Amino acid sequence: MFALPPAALDLGDLQPLSDAIDALCEALDGEREAVIEGLAEIVRRRTEFERRRQALEDRNRFV
């Protein structure tokens, strides 16, 4: 049911993400660190939105 994580991280798994970040940096003419921080903020906001949406749905389900 649950798989143990691999002993060593296979960096090949992250290569498409790294390539996409590089392309985004080039398109935005931005520094890699700033682009990554911006993406992280988008993920944080989306996560908070989904958490609040789920809480609202749960609240409305019991009303």
Side-chain angles (χ1 to χ4, degrees):
M1 184 171 181
F2 296 103
L4 294 175
L9 180 63
D10 181 7
L11 294 179
D13 292 343
L14 298 177
Q15 193 59 47
L17 178 60
S18 180
D19 293 345
I21 290 171
D22 288 342
L24 191 55
C25 289
E26 187 175 320
L28 297 175
D29 195 30
E31 293 182 17
R32 186 175 181 85
E33 185 175 331
V35 169
I36 291 171
E37 288 175 4
L39 292 171
E41 182 61 24
I42 290 168
V43 170
R44 280 191 289 274
R45 288 180 182 200
R46 179 60 187 221
T47 301
E48 180 62 17
F49 170 81
E50 289 298 331
R51 185 190 66 77
R52 289 180 183 213
R53 183 184 63 77
Q54 186 63 48
L56 183 61
E57 285 180 5
D58 290 346
R59 190 181 81 187
N60 289 336
R61 187 178 313 144
F62 298 111
V63 173

